[in-house]
Amino acid sequence: CTEHPFGHLIDTLRSEQYEERRYFNLLKLSDVRYEKLPFCMRVLLESAIRKCDGFYIKTDDVSSILDWQMQQNQAEVAFSPARVLLQDFTGIPAMVDLAAMRDALAKQGVDPNLVNPRCPTDLIVDHSLQIDYSKCAIQSPPTPTDESHGAAVRSPAGRPSPRGSSSSGHSSCSDAPSGRSAAVQIENTPLLCPFHLQPVSEPETMIRNQEMELIRNKERLQFFKWCSKTFKNINVVPPDINAVHQVNLEYLCQVVQEGEGFIYPDSVVGTDSHTTMINGLGILGWGVGGIESEAVMLGQPVSLTLPQVVGCKLVGTINPLATSIDIVLGITKHLRQAGIGRKFVEFFGPGVQQLSAPDRTTIANMCPEYNATVSFFPVDDVTLQHFKNTSTDHPLVVLEDYLKAIKLFRSYGDQSDEPQYSEVIEMNLSSIVPHVSGPKRPQDRVAVTCMKEDFINCLNEKVGFKGFHISKEKQATQVPFLHEGAEYNLAHGSVVIAAVISCTNNCNPSVMLAAGLLAKKAVEAGLTVKPYIRTNLVPGSGTVTHYLNTSGVLPYLRKLRFEVVGYGCATCVGNTAPLPESVVDAIKQGDLVACGVLSGNRHLEGRLCDCVRANYLASPPLVVAYAIAGTVSINLETEPLGVNSEGKDVYLRDIWPSKEEVNHTEENIVIASMFKELRSRMEKGSTFWNRLESAESALFPWDPKSTYIRCPSFFSKLVKVCTPQSIEGAYPLLFLGDKVTTDHISPAGSIARVSAAAKYLQSKRLTPREFNSYGARRGNDAVMTRGTFASIKLQNRLIGKTGPKTLHIPSGQMLDVFEAAERYQRDGVPLIILAGKEYGSGSSRDWAAKGPYLMGVRAVIAESFEKIHRNHLVGMGIAPLQFLPGQNADSLELCGKERFTINLPQELTPRQQLTVQTSTGKSFSVTALFENDMDVAFFRHGGILKYVARSLLL
Ligand SMILES: *[C@@H]1O[C@H](CO)[C@@H](O)[C@H](O)[C@H]1NC(C)=O
Ligand SMILES: *[C@@H]1O[C@H](CO)[C@@H](O)[C@H](O)[C@H]1NC(C)=O
Ligand SMILES: *[C@@H]1O[C@H](CO)[C@@H](O)[C@H](O)[C@H]1NC(C)=O
Ligand SMILES: *[C@@H]1O[C@H](CO)[C@@H](O)[C@H](O)[C@H]1NC(C)=O
Ligand SMILES: *[C@@H]1O[C@H](CO)[C@@H](O)[C@H](O)[C@H]1NC(C)=O
């Protein structure tokens, strides 16, 4: 055991309140540059120092990070996250590979129990392998209207749609008040509820559905259960506990981790697309592809270019009328306009303290919207408070003392020790102005403070999106009418429908809570809602009702006559109960522009009700406010909402819940009860999972009949010593153009009836109905290899038409790509792929590198590679070779039918130029895109799996 290169930094945290903890004290570096580093870079540095071993992580990595000021955007550094997060979809192949490695080592006489993940791994069975029902569709049957589609296609519990599926699963979680621009913006990145409860009572259909799903997936679940019992360092979260991002936020994240005798900051890479959410809690983390996550699990660090870090300085005070959603969208918009471009963002400045933990995680989740890699909020008092009621196993004093000891705890009081960022963008939070939109289209936004003016303008304007053309003399019309024995007046601007709907806003409990707290204060102040106004409360799910009830505001909403009328998007699509006849008559009689105010996400003129001509979208608390006011023609800042029982004016500001109140209720009641609920679910597990039987053996008992789980052939010829050979006389399997995506290489969708994979499955006696998708069969290498390049959109220049076929050059036959590859392999002929620019773009997909490897592809020669896919190729032992600048297959006059020989020198070095010779006598140079010694080692060994397996053989 050699001395740790940074052993001199080891220090001990002591206090009477807890046991001693050891840690690497970065302050002992006594380097002035440390305190100038952004906090997220300090996390990178700590990890590099602690994990420095001279191979995976070198002292150069440490110096580069420390020298971040000079090295940003240049140095390539390694990062060993504290843990890896996998969901079942991507977890299956990784676990199958580990199980296969156990087999391979056992065959060589090595104890298979040595094979375990090296980095703590959490595997969350949440995508349930196949999602074939939609929760929202159960709650509210899909309606034929397009406006409701947002809700109808929502995946269960707001779960992200599985990686690789089409984008049709976007969430309906969009923002009411800011209208169209926001809706468009959110279509790509769902404004996902960082925290929300599981439904308290699930419809029976759903429970049945879940059971069926579990039965259908039994084989794979049994495998996962075997994994959870067999592997050390792996934690399997059983199905039906919760969605990945939530379990991650509420259960797995620790702020400070403990392992190998040290405490250290938590950090994570994950295959869940919402991994970046965690940065809102001061935990550095981002999403990676399947092979990368597998590599991290096997102990390899993630390699990244030392990022630039944009400091986003928040100043000013948030307008009290702004809801969480206004804030999140306001900040997102600001960052988008600033143009972040793949950098890290770190928030600082006095305004940060005004953002609650859910606000932060939502902003962090939105970072694909503004192109940031991560949006980091260092741990501060708000974060600690958030963890007070939660899962963390450490007493908060340990976290606080440790983070303070290494200056990872943020206090915004002292501005003298601000880090130095690559650039700083400032945002004044008071610029976030709450809006409503309407009267006819969601994209017509009106600042709340200008509402009265705007409405009067609309009366004046000629008929159009913003006009009703009511003549001056008729604008003052008042129509008296009787309702339930009392007389009231209707005028232009009178509110006749008010609906608090959370089909969009249940994303963030705080906005519905704000509506409830406002109702409570309004009732306490003696305000009422006029009985002729059709008021509705449509909570979106039982969950929302549950937390409104738990936090004690439901009775007050009821007192204001906001009764729960049902779930789903009833009111958005015009299903509200008819207005009282007397109201309709009064509207007709005065030709009045009556108003509807709702907090849905879409609306159309006349949608709520034919006779309601002005429809506004507003945040839930503003809907309650306008209902109390009874009109939209009011300046809520200067005019009272109503009078109390003593005849005194009550203004909106008197009853508007402060952000602190909302936050307090949210943290202490809603989120706390969610944690409790999740914990108890975790402890109970699901009955199905608990009953599930699985083997008790160090080696997995592969079932030869299984068509889902199969021992992959990566280790088929594992020998102790690796002798990399040159690539001689290789045929191009395919000759491709530009922008070949991972979807071309390894399609994720359904398995075509006429395909190599179909033939295989039929040979296993499956009918086409039982084929399932490629995504679901990732644990079966036979299916996945057959599915490689099986895209009907593949354009292969060797055959000159679109489709999953290629030319078997020696015989001149046109075959399925897999069959051609199989024939070449049988004849011992190595293969390469010729391609154009950006080979492997699109979403990262592990089988896009594993498949070609198992087909016998040794190298891809392309004009350029997508970066993550390049990593994957190297990880699987395939050489990514790049044509020299300005050259390509055409400029070199390659026809794609020649044989290629690539000489590999004994001493391969990163980014070396290699010579390629063709059977037609041509010779050209390519750059081998190995970025570092680690890449070279992986390539030499035939990929990281063999590399790790061999390291255990020695
Ligand atoms: C933020 O903007 C408000 C209103 O425009 C202004 O009063 C305040 O001084 C600004 N704050 C800072 C720190 O610039
Ligand atoms: C994000 O990056 C992509 C590609 O790099 C670019 O096309 C897009 O315009 C960027 N978007 C923003 C909001 O900067
Ligand atoms: C609200 O909670 C109370 C007490 O826990 C319960 O009796 C009541 O049924 C709940 N109401 C709703 C609508 O969930
Ligand atoms: C939220 O409330 C908690 C306590 O209830 C408090 O400690 C925290 O500072 C508050 N956060 C914000 C952003 O107001
Ligand atoms: C959460 O913490 C707050 C303040 O520390 C406390 O009042 C509340 O009871 C806690 N809630 C739960 C469910 O533990």
Side-chain angles (χ1 to χ4, degrees):
C1 190
T2 52
E3 187 124 330
H4 193 291
F6 291 95
H8 56 285
L9 301 184
I10 295 173
D11 212 339
T12 309
L13 201 62
R14 286 195 185 86
S15 159
E16 285 162 10
Q17 300 173 57
Y18 48 83
E19 277 175 35
E20 287 184 359
R21 304 290 212 288
R22 292 202 310 156
Y23 67 104
F24 283 86
N25 189 347
L26 304 182
L27 298 187
K28 279 198 181 171
L29 287 166
S30 302
D31 195 311
V32 288
R33 291 171 299 179
Y34 179 66
E35 289 182 37
K36 294 286 168 206
L37 286 182
F39 282 62
C40 51
M41 292 301 107
R42 300 181 196 186
V43 175
L44 280 189
L45 181 66
E46 192 282 339
S47 151
I49 285 178
R50 184 169 33 84
K51 302 292 272 187
C52 188
D53 64 356
F55 175 68
Y56 282 127
I57 299 195
K58 302 188 164 154
T59 47
D60 279 356
D61 290 311
V62 173
S63 351
S64 295
I65 302 172
L66 203 47
D67 199 27
W68 172 81
Q69 220 35 272
M70 305 306 296
Q71 298 289 327
Q72 54 181 291
N73 220 5
Q74 304 198 6
E76 193 75 14
V77 298
F79 171 51
S80 270
R83 57 192 170 89
V84 186
L85 186 66
L86 300 173
Q87 22 91 332
D88 45 27
F89 241 68
T90 43
I92 267 232
M95 292 298 127
V96 163
D97 292 350
L98 269 190
M101 199 187 291
R102 283 198 162 206
D103 279 21
L105 289 179
K107 276 200 195 103
Q108 304 274 339
V110 176
D111 178 6
N113 289 305
L114 292 175
V115 176
N116 291 296
R118 290 193 185 161
C119 179
T121 302
D122 295 296
L123 192 147
I124 301 173
V125 186
D126 113 302
H127 284 62
S128 299
L129 311 152
Q130 188 177 33
I131 295 165
D132 52 5
Y133 67 93
S134 149
K135 185 170 279 178
C136 201
I138 290 168
Q139 284 160 354
S140 70
T143 53
T145 45
D146 57 349
E147 284 78 17
S148 67
H149 86 282
V153 300
R154 204 169 149 210
S155 57
R159 287 171 189 169
S161 49
R163 213 166 243 287
S165 77
S166 75
S167 61
S168 69
H170 67 73
S171 161
S172 66
C173 297
S174 77
D175 157 49
S178 42
R180 183 167 192 85
S181 60
V184 169
Q185 145 188 350
I186 288 158
E187 238 135 33
N188 310 325
T189 315
L191 180 55
L192 218 125
C193 353
F195 299 97
H196 73 130
L197 289 159
Q198 282 277 316
V200 275
S201 60
E202 290 158 337
E204 198 167 316
T205 45
M206 193 186 300
I207 293 169
R208 252 205 324 271
N209 236 325
Q210 285 171 353
E211 279 282 299
M212 265 174 52
E213 199 169 273
L214 293 173
I215 291 164
R216 187 167 42 229
N217 297 314
K218 192 168 163 195
E219 230 172 73
R220 281 165 289 172
L221 292 172
Q222 276 175 324
F223 174 68
F224 282 139
K225 190 146 180 192
W226 174 82
C227 293
S228 76
K229 288 200 295 197
T230 311
F231 291 119
K232 289 197 200 92
N233 244 352
I234 183 158
N235 167 41
V236 176
V237 177
D240 291 330
I241 298 290
N242 219 325
V244 183
H245 64 270
Q246 258 178 285
V247 176
N248 190 22
L249 280 178
E250 297 165 23
Y251 189 77
L252 302 173
C253 75
Q254 294 282 313
V255 185
V256 173
Q257 291 280 355
E258 197 149 11
E260 293 163 6
F262 295 97
I263 54 172
Y264 48 92
D266 193 7
S267 55
V268 63
V269 293
T271 54
D272 176 42
S273 49
H274 301 286
T275 309
T276 50
M277 212 179 229
I278 205 78
N279 292 280
L281 301 178
I283 294 164
L284 191 62
W286 57 84
V288 293
I291 290 185
E292 280 180 310
S293 62
E294 191 170 334
V296 173
M297 188 179 85
L298 294 171
Q300 192 206 331
V302 178
S303 162
L304 75 156
T305 307
L306 201 56
Q308 290 177 279
V309 183
V310 178
C312 181
K313 184 171 187 181
L314 300 181
V315 299
T317 321
I318 295 173
N319 182 319
L321 294 190
T323 64
S324 266
I325 289 183
D326 296 325
I327 295 163
V328 168
L329 293 178
I331 291 176
T332 303
K333 188 169 154 217
H334 190 81
L335 290 170
R336 193 155 56 153
Q337 283 164 349
I340 302 297
R342 309 275 162 229
K343 296 173 193 151
F344 281 25
V345 174
E346 182 169 298
F347 288 86
F348 74 112
V352 179
Q353 279 162 301
Q354 295 169 58
L355 303 180
S356 68
D359 292 349
R360 296 173 184 196
T361 50
T362 316
I363 292 167
N365 185 48
M366 298 284 277
C367 66
E369 262 314 300
Y370 43 89
N371 273 353
T373 308
V374 301
S375 262
F376 190 74
F377 288 87
V379 176
D380 64 1
D381 286 325
V382 173
T383 329
L384 281 191
Q385 181 64 36
H386 171 79
F387 278 104
K388 221 164 213 165
N389 288 103
T390 69
S391 59
T392 178
D393 292 331
H394 304 292
L396 286 183
V397 276
V398 180
L399 305 189
E400 198 171 337
D401 287 356
Y402 168 63
L403 294 173
K404 283 182 174 161
I406 61 164
K407 298 217 168 186
L408 263 178
F409 188 84
R410 197 68 165 101
S411 100
Y412 298 101
D414 183 8
Q415 296 190 10
S416 65
D417 58 22
E418 299 289 18
Q420 276 171 2
Y421 295 103
S422 312
E423 64 186 282
V424 168
I425 53 177
E426 187 170 297
M427 175 166 190
N428 187 336
L429 292 171
S430 54
S431 68
I432 297 172
V433 182
H435 283 83
V436 296
S437 52
K440 299 188 184 184
R441 304 185 306 177
Q443 62 266 48
D444 295 321
R445 305 179 67 201
V446 189
V448 175
T449 45
C450 307
M451 185 67 165
K452 184 172 189 172
E453 236 176 286
D454 192 76
F455 182 74
I456 294 169
N457 278 342
C458 287
L459 292 182
N460 288 327
E461 284 298 312
K462 62 179 191 300
V463 175
F465 290 125
K466 294 279 289 178
F468 297 104
H469 201 53
I470 306 292
S471 62
K472 278 268 184 282
E473 59 274 20
K474 283 195 175 160
Q475 285 181 16
T477 309
Q478 299 251 350
V479 183
F481 67 100
L482 280 175
H483 178 77
E484 291 169 359
E487 194 183 292
Y488 301 93
N489 272 315
L490 276 194
H492 293 291
S494 287
V495 173
V496 293
I497 296 175
V500 175
I501 298 168
S502 89
C503 59
T504 61
N505 292 323
N506 56 2
C507 296
N508 197 326
S510 73
V511 279
M512 290 298 276
L513 276 179
L517 289 170
L518 179 79
K520 177 166 185 268
K521 296 180 139 209
V523 169
E524 284 166 357
L527 298 179
T528 56
V529 170
K530 302 208 170 57
Y532 61 82
I533 299 178
R534 180 66 67 212
T535 43
N536 283 333
L537 178 60
V538 190
S541 73
T543 309
V544 181
T545 318
H546 177 72
Y547 70 66
L548 288 176
N549 198 16
T550 323
S551 45
V553 295
L554 203 54
Y556 296 96
L557 282 164
R558 194 174 299 140
K559 280 213 177 97
L560 292 184
R561 306 178 45 261
F562 285 94
E563 291 268 7
V564 177
V565 292
Y567 297 101
C569 306
T571 316
C572 321
V573 293
N575 295 341
T576 175
L579 293 177
E581 233 163 81
S582 56
V583 171
V584 176
D585 290 344
I587 294 172
K588 284 189 182 147
Q589 189 191 329
D591 191 22
L592 295 175
V593 179
C595 298
V597 187
L598 72 150
S599 64
N601 57 342
R602 314 247 165 127
H603 68 160
L604 288 175
E605 190 180 5
R607 196 62 185 287
L608 289 176
C609 170
D610 287 344
C611 55
V612 179
R613 280 195 275 169
N615 293 304
Y616 288 94
L617 298 176
S619 67
L622 283 176
V623 171
V624 177
Y626 283 115
I628 294 168
T631 177
V632 298
S633 188
I634 177 174
N635 183 335
L636 293 173
E637 258 182 349
T638 55
E639 295 175 68
L641 277 182
V643 290
N644 64 15
S645 42
E646 282 122 52
K648 257 186 74 189
D649 285 347
V650 180
Y651 291 84
L652 182 61
R653 59 175 173 269
D654 301 329
I655 60 165
W656 189 267
S658 70
K659 202 164 156 40
E660 287 69 36
E661 280 171 273
V662 175
N663 158 48
H664 193 81
T665 314
E666 185 179 20
E667 285 280 358
N668 291 346
I669 298 177
V670 181
I671 292 180
S673 94
M674 269 170 2
F675 280 116
K676 253 175 48 205
E677 161 106 11
L678 183 67
R679 294 231 118 190
S680 87
R681 274 166 180 266
M682 286 292 214
E683 276 151 27
K684 283 205 303 257
S686 71
T687 31
F688 184 88
W689 177 260
N690 295 343
R691 283 202 310 258
L692 197 66
E693 283 168 19
S694 72
E696 304 272 350
S697 54
L699 297 180
F700 184 67
W702 306 99
D703 176 358
K705 291 199 292 295
S706 173
T707 54
Y708 280 107
I709 305 275
R710 209 180 91 111
C711 184
S713 48
F714 295 122
F715 303 98
S716 56
K717 293 181 210 106
L718 187 68
V719 286
K720 264 198 184 117
V721 208
C722 78
T723 44
Q725 287 148 1
S726 288
I727 300 169
E728 274 175 47
Y731 272 117
L733 176 62
L734 295 159
F735 185 11
L736 305 169
D738 291 345
K739 290 220 167 194
V740 170
T741 66
T742 49
D743 207 39
H744 292 116
I745 307 172
S746 186
S750 60
I751 298 172
R753 281 167 185 234
V754 194
S755 63
K759 278 183 212 158
Y760 167 83
L761 290 171
Q762 268 157 347
S763 79
K764 299 279 172 189
R765 295 166 189 275
L766 293 193
T767 63
R769 269 193 54 215
E770 297 164 310
F771 283 178
N772 215 328
S773 64
Y774 284 114
R777 295 202 179 268
R778 286 182 202 202
N780 183 328
D781 62 305
V783 174
M784 296 311 288
T785 310
R786 284 165 176 78
T788 305
F789 295 112
S791 163
I792 53 165
K793 285 179 275 177
L794 190 72
Q795 293 191 2
N796 174 11
R797 292 170 65 177
L798 286 178
I799 56 165
K801 61 178 184 191
T802 308
K805 300 273 180 197
T806 196
L807 186 69
H808 179 252
I809 298 164
S811 68
Q813 276 180 297
M814 195 158 80
L815 301 172
D816 279 339
V817 181
F818 171 78
E819 280 164 1
E822 202 180 25
R823 238 197 249 185
Y824 284 121
Q825 276 196 311
R826 212 169 45 216
D827 300 338
V829 179
L831 294 171
I832 61 160
I833 286 168
L834 292 174
K837 296 191 185 73
E838 293 176 50
Y839 181 77
S841 50
S843 67
S844 121
R845 204 165 283 169
D846 54 347
W847 274 103
K850 287 178 166 173
Y853 173 80
L854 290 178
M855 280 180 160
V857 174
R858 302 279 316 277
V860 179
I861 307 180
E863 283 175 74
S864 64
F865 291 84
E866 194 278 331
K867 193 177 157 197
I868 292 176
H869 188 63
R870 184 212 68 88
N871 289 345
H872 286 182
L873 291 175
V874 173
M876 286 317 300
I878 298 175
L881 307 176
Q882 192 166 31
F883 287 113
L884 296 185
Q887 295 192 341
N888 59 30
D890 291 332
S891 77
L892 294 165
E893 296 178 340
L894 303 176
C895 76
K897 294 180 189 168
E898 49 277 87
R899 299 185 77 162
F900 293 75
T901 294
I902 303 157
N903 278 310
L904 299 173
Q906 273 308 312
E907 293 299 318
L908 204 53
T909 53
R911 292 216 152 239
Q912 192 170 353
Q913 284 201 359
L914 303 177
T915 305
V916 182
Q917 283 165 319
T918 70
S919 54
T920 54
K922 291 204 175 79
S923 170
F924 60 95
S925 294
V926 291
T927 310
L929 297 184
F930 300 120
E931 300 295 348
N932 47 41
D933 297 343
M934 210 165 61
D935 280 1
V936 172
F938 291 157
F939 172 68
R940 290 202 160 263
H941 282 266
I944 183 173
L945 288 168
K946 285 189 177 164
Y947 174 83
V948 170
R950 282 207 184 92
S951 70
L952 293 169
L953 279 180
L954 298 176

